[in-house]
Each structure stands twice: as C-alpha cells, then as structure tokens.
Amino acid sequence: MGASNVVTRFAPSPTGFLHIGGARTALFNYLFARHHGGQFQLRIEDTDRARSTEPAIAAILDGLEWLNFEWDGPVVYQFARAARHAEVAHQLLANGHAYRCYATAEELEEMRAAQRAAKQPMRYDCRWRDRPAGDAPAGAPFVIRLKAPRDGSVTIDDLVQGPVTVANAELDDMVLLRSDGTPTYMLAVVVDDHDMAVTHVIRGDDHLNNAFRQLALIHAMGWSEPAYAHIPLIHGSDGAKLSKRHGALGVDAYRDDMGLLPEAVENYLLRLGWGHGDDEFISRAQAIEWFDLSGVGRGPARFDLKKLESVNGQYMRATDDARLVTLVTPRIETALGRNTTDADLDILHRSMAELKKRAANLNDLATSALFYLRTRPIPIDDGAAKLLASAAPGVLAQARALFAGINDWTAEGLEQQARHLAESSALKLGQVAQPLRAAITGSAQSPGLFDVMALLGRDETLGRIDDVLATITA
RNA sequence: GGUCCCUUCGUCUAGCGGUCUAGGACGUCGCCCUUUCACGGCGAAAACACGGGUUCGAUUCCCGUAGGGAUCACCA
C-alpha cells in the first residue's frame, strides 16, 4: 500500500442523527481510504440553515467516534465556505457557463404543473438561459443557474454500479446560487470535493443522478473528475425504505437502547452488501486489507435485526470480561437504583464468563446479572414461583440442611451433595436443582446452579433459601 | 409518468461458462450435550423471477417481460 493520494470523505448533513445507512457509508469510505493508505475526511454539510442543528452535529461526531471511524484532518463545515462557493458561481457567470434566472417560485410551480398535466418530464425549461441582459427586471431577485450542455451524453464509470450513461437532455440547468446569494448543495459539494482534493466519492446511490449534474459543473470549471462509487441504500425487513420501525435509528440507539457493541455493528454493516467468500466475522484489520468497492452489491440490502443481534452475541462472547463489566455496570446501576460496590464488581467479574454466553446484548447481560447483586429477600419471578410450588415437599429444607453442614463450599462439593440428596430421595437431579435455582436466583433460568452458589457464598445462599422457606411455612 | 439501476434459500451472501444433484451465515425445525437457560456439536427443510436467444454447454453473456429500487426543489 504505502502513501497514496486517495482521499475519501463522509459528508452527512446535520439534520438528524447518524443513522445506520450513514454509518455504513462512513464505514465504506473509511475502509477504502485505509486500504489504500489514503485520507478519510469528514465534512458537515450544513448549508441548510433552517434544518441543520448543533445537536445533530454532536450526534454525528459522537456516532463516528463510537464506531471508531477516525477521520483525518479537521472537520470541514460547509457553511463556513459559502463565500468560496459563491466565488465559483460568479466565476462561472463571468465565463459564460452560468446565467441569471429571474423566474419566481410561483412561475416555476406553474411550469411544473403544466408539465405534470401534459405528462412531460418536469424540468426547468431554460426560459432565462439565452435571454439578453436587457430583459432582466430591474432590481428583481435572481438565482444563478449552470448553463449545462444540452446535447450528447455523459458516462460515469461507477466503481459499484458500472458504466452508467445519461443523456444531457435529461438534465436541466440546476441552481447554483439561491436568490439570497447562498450556495446550493450541488454547488457546494462539487467545490468542496475539489478543494479537499477528494479522489473517490463514495456515497448512497440516491446521489447517482446528482453525479451527472455535478459532472457538468466540474467540466465547466475544467476540474478533474473524481471516481464515483454509489452504494445501494439499506432497506427495512419488508423491503421498503428504512424507517424508524425497522431500525433507521441513530447509532446512539444501537449503543444505548439496544446495548450493542460497536465492532459488532461494524461487522454487520460491512457484511450488508459486501462479502469476502464465506467469511462472517471480519476484524477491522482484515476489513481494511480486504475491502474493495467492486465487491459491493448493486441491489439494496434488507436490514435484519435478528442477524445483527446474533453477530453481537458472538462479539460479546469474544469480548474480555473486564470490558464487559465496565460496559454493563451503568445499566446494572440503573436497574438496581444504586451504585455498585467493590463486592458487586468482584462478583460481576467472576460471573461474567458464564453470563456472556447467555446474552446477545448489554441489556440482556445486565438483566441476567441482577440476581447476583440484589439484597435479600430477592424477588421471585413467575417461572420460579411455579417451580417452587410444584417442588417435591421438603427438598428445599433437606437441601438447606445438607448445605449448611458442608465444609467444601465449592461448585464441585455442592453438586456432589445435591446428587447424593437426589439419589437418596429417589429424585432426579433436576428435581432438586430447579427449586434451589428458583430460591437462589429468583428465576427458572440461570448459569450453572452450583457455580452460582459457589460465587454467592454460604451465607447468602443459605439466607436466600431461608427466605423462601419462611414464605412456605408462613 | 420520464430517466437510471437492480433481481441466487424468508434475510445477508458465495458463485465471476462446465467444479452446481448451487456453498456459508442468520432465522426456522429436529437430534445430541445437559440441573434450567444459553453456549457448543450434528442434521433437515429452504433459492438461481419468467421467456427468448448466444454457446457443445448457462446461475454465470445478450435481449425482452415481470417485480423491486433510486431520482426528477432556490433540501441535502
């Protein structure tokens, strides 16, 4: 690889959170740049002053940081470059590649209505394109439009979509500068990409059509064309456009609400629309080594929450216990309504290896850990209550008596005693273990019972059994 | 509607003319492991949209049809 001049950029508009599709676009840009030893830059497209917000900017930066997509250089804020954009528009005006258009919004609406009625394509009809300067109404507001070529066609060798050709007649003269003098998105992207020396424009394929108009601008300025890669959008599980219902949420929702790991989200996103043989789990380093745009699928992929959760579960199991404890502790403290103590953290560390095998996300993990940390008497859930109600009479009391006298308070020692009790009472081990589990964990499901007892310790374990015994006799 | 793009199991994908009686993963179902739940292991059902070509031979190439998607602003 070595040094290269590859420059990619992620250019979200801060009108909302960083959603999952944006995150994937960022990932592909990041991976492509790193693969080629180039630069990955971040540009905030905040030219829409009405819709751009500070919280949205913060959410985007936060999301990218969480996913660990490190960008190169300072963040470029597009609005700050408005003067430069206007300068280019005026340059185009001066050299005849652009013109003033005095059509009002109402006029244009009428024009479109007529086109719609006549089932004609809705395009600006170039009414001011060739009018002499003398026709200009004095003092009236105007926009500056690009004088785009009307004949011939343009072909883009899209790195994902392949060669795509569009006739120039299909394109109209887009607005460069609004009547208030501010630049449009079309102008701003082209100027910024050029000034930032972007070599590869990797973005959602909702921009594919825009690329042709942008190319006209690039040609008018005599600038060199970047390479384009338009990646398909992500769809919901029903094939429709991704909506909130499907998971078109901010990445913060994946982190906070769903409790997912960033590397799992990254892995899932990478595999959505891209593959490397039969590989399912791909590390960041491998992704950088293997990623290429030609491997990106051309059809939209559906978002599958089940698979994301599964991938996350795999990553959870592969994550070291200490990190999981750190990640899960705030959730546990919220559920418990108190801060964790050193003793709590100790038991979390020691139980984590077993707990993480049962959790697909941090929420599940937190929930499953609670019983270790609750103070007596612990709540007994419905499933556990049923187990206790149907337990063989006296098992709990017998087991309690047996455990009280045990010297070897280890998982092995406890299991041995439980097996003896089962045998001597002509019960299956499960008939002894399940009521005990219910009493000790308050649930019908838990990690191995004897490991749990060993971790909890003699006093706590016996106390919990006593608590239940007390309610039975009472 | 115009233009552009896409089409392998329910979903994500492997496949880049013969290796395909189409592979992997998630999900589903069954079995095993087992003190529960998981984890893990084994196995099953499940796809080349349709119709024409090209070719000795098409999942792979071309053209239609159908279906899906994107886009048609003084938003980005």
Side-chain angles (χ1 to χ4, degrees):
Chain A
M1 283 186 271
S4 88
N5 63 343
V6 167
V7 177
T8 67
R9 102 276 131 122
F10 176 54
S13 56
T15 54
F17 42 53
L18 173 63
H19 58 83
I20 206 74
R24 190 178 62 146
T25 302
L27 171 65
F28 286 7
N29 273 286
Y30 173 84
L31 257 19
F32 186 81
R34 292 288 173 267
H35 176 83
H36 290 283
Q39 301 255 306
F40 167 63
Q41 304 208 2
L42 176 62
R43 183 172 73 227
I44 302 292
E45 310 221 313
D46 54 353
T47 55
D48 185 340
R49 302 315 288 168
R51 295 201 299 152
S52 297
T53 67
E54 276 302 324
I57 292 173
I60 289 167
L61 299 184
D62 181 50
L64 291 175
E65 277 160 16
W66 179 60
L67 287 163
N68 194 25
F69 299 159
E70 241 173 88
W71 60 87
D72 299 304
V75 178
V76 174
Y77 289 89
Q78 194 162 58
F79 181 68
R81 295 176 39 79
R84 156 100 260 241
H85 303 146
E87 175 190 317
V88 170
H90 284 102
Q91 211 172 311
L92 255 8
L93 199 57
N95 67 20
H97 283 296
Y99 60 95
R100 294 186 174 85
C101 168
Y102 294 88
T104 63
E106 297 74 48
E107 262 180 77
L108 293 176
E109 191 33 58
E110 263 173 52
M111 175 194 78
R112 288 191 199 100
Q115 288 169 338
R116 207 170 11 244
K119 294 204 186 291
Q120 297 290 312
M122 291 191 284
R123 278 193 283 271
Y124 173 65
D125 59 8
C126 299
R127 57 183 63 182
W128 284 92
R129 181 177 169 114
D130 298 310
R131 291 199 28 192
D135 284 6
F142 61 87
V143 300
I144 294 180
R145 287 183 185 270
L146 179 71
K147 192 177 275 186
R150 312 183 79 170
D151 308 313
S153 61
V154 186
T155 298
I156 289 177
D157 271 311
D158 195 279
L159 266 21
V160 168
Q161 305 290 341
V164 183
T165 302
V166 165
N168 283 323
E170 299 296 332
L171 279 15
D172 62 4
D173 290 346
M174 63 181 173
V175 174
L176 264 20
L177 221 53
R178 302 188 185 100
S179 52
D180 65 359
T182 60
T184 60
Y185 160 79
M186 288 291 190
L187 207 216
V189 242
V190 170
V191 174
D192 289 346
D193 283 344
H194 174 262
D195 289 358
M196 290 164 74
V198 171
T199 58
H200 296 260
V201 173
I202 304 168
R203 73 229 301 195
D205 79 359
D206 50 333
H207 288 288
L208 179 56
N209 293 274
N210 290 336
F212 294 94
R213 323 171 91 113
Q214 289 165 195
L215 230 26
L217 212 180
I218 289 169
H219 294 154
M221 286 301 290
W223 291 339
S224 58
E225 299 178 18
Y228 289 101
H230 289 94
I231 62 181
L233 269 18
I234 298 174
H235 282 199
S237 51
D238 57 359
K241 197 170 170 176
L242 205 53
S243 69
K244 282 188 183 176
R245 195 163 51 81
H246 306 106
L249 310 163
V251 295
D252 61 306
Y254 292 88
R255 176 188 61 197
D256 302 334
D257 302 345
M258 296 170 62
L260 302 180
L261 263 20
E263 58 271 41
V265 173
E266 173 181 338
N267 196 139
Y268 175 73
L269 251 21
L270 176 64
R271 287 283 293 101
L272 199 58
W274 182 84
H276 183 269
D278 285 340
D279 296 308
E280 294 289 341
F281 295 97
I282 301 170
S283 69
R284 169 70 65 90
Q286 286 172 319
I288 289 172
E289 188 186 333
W290 291 337
F291 186 75
D292 63 278
L293 290 166
S294 63
V296 177
R298 292 196 264 180
R302 297 186 188 196
F303 186 80
D304 183 354
L305 204 56
K306 279 273 181 36
K307 182 138 185 177
L308 209 206
E309 284 248 310
S310 164
V311 171
N312 196 67
Q314 295 288 335
Y315 272 89
M316 297 263 293
R317 273 162 242 138
T319 297
D320 66 79
D321 299 347
R323 179 176 169 220
L324 287 176
V325 170
T326 306
L327 289 172
V328 85
T329 296
R331 287 163 208 269
I332 286 176
E333 292 183 338
T334 301
L336 246 28
R338 63 171 174 83
N339 290 333
T340 44
T341 64
D342 287 349
D344 291 333
L345 292 177
D346 179 60
I347 204 164
L348 279 178
H349 275 105
R350 293 198 287 149
S351 58
M352 195 48 68
E354 281 303 309
L355 289 177
K356 71 183 179 186
K357 287 198 287 200
R358 295 166 169 76
N361 57 60
L362 295 173
N363 289 333
D364 290 354
L365 188 63
T367 304
S368 71
L370 291 179
F371 80 86
Y372 279 116
L373 312 179
R374 295 211 129 113
T375 42
R376 291 175 42 206
I378 62 163
I380 305 292
D381 71 22
D382 291 350
K386 271 183 197 154
L387 281 175
L388 289 171
S390 61
V395 261
L396 224 46
Q398 282 176 282
R400 200 265 180 227
L402 208 53
F403 293 144
I406 200 172
N407 290 320
D408 180 22
W409 193 270
T410 62
E412 297 72 32
L414 290 161
E415 175 166 358
Q416 213 171 53
Q417 290 304 314
R419 284 188 187 278
H420 284 159
L421 174 60
E423 254 175 69
S424 62
S425 325
L427 294 171
K428 289 185 173 176
L429 184 53
Q431 291 175 286
V432 174
Q434 283 300 79
L436 279 169
R437 184 190 313 282
I440 294 165
T441 72
S443 164
Q445 298 94 235
S446 79
L449 177 64
F450 307 110
D451 292 318
V452 169
M453 291 169 71
L455 268 176
L456 246 21
R458 169 185 247 115
D459 293 348
E460 182 67 21
T461 302
L462 296 181
R464 290 185 182 194
I465 298 175
D466 287 338
D467 292 339
V468 169
L469 252 17
T471 65
I472 291 175
T473 46

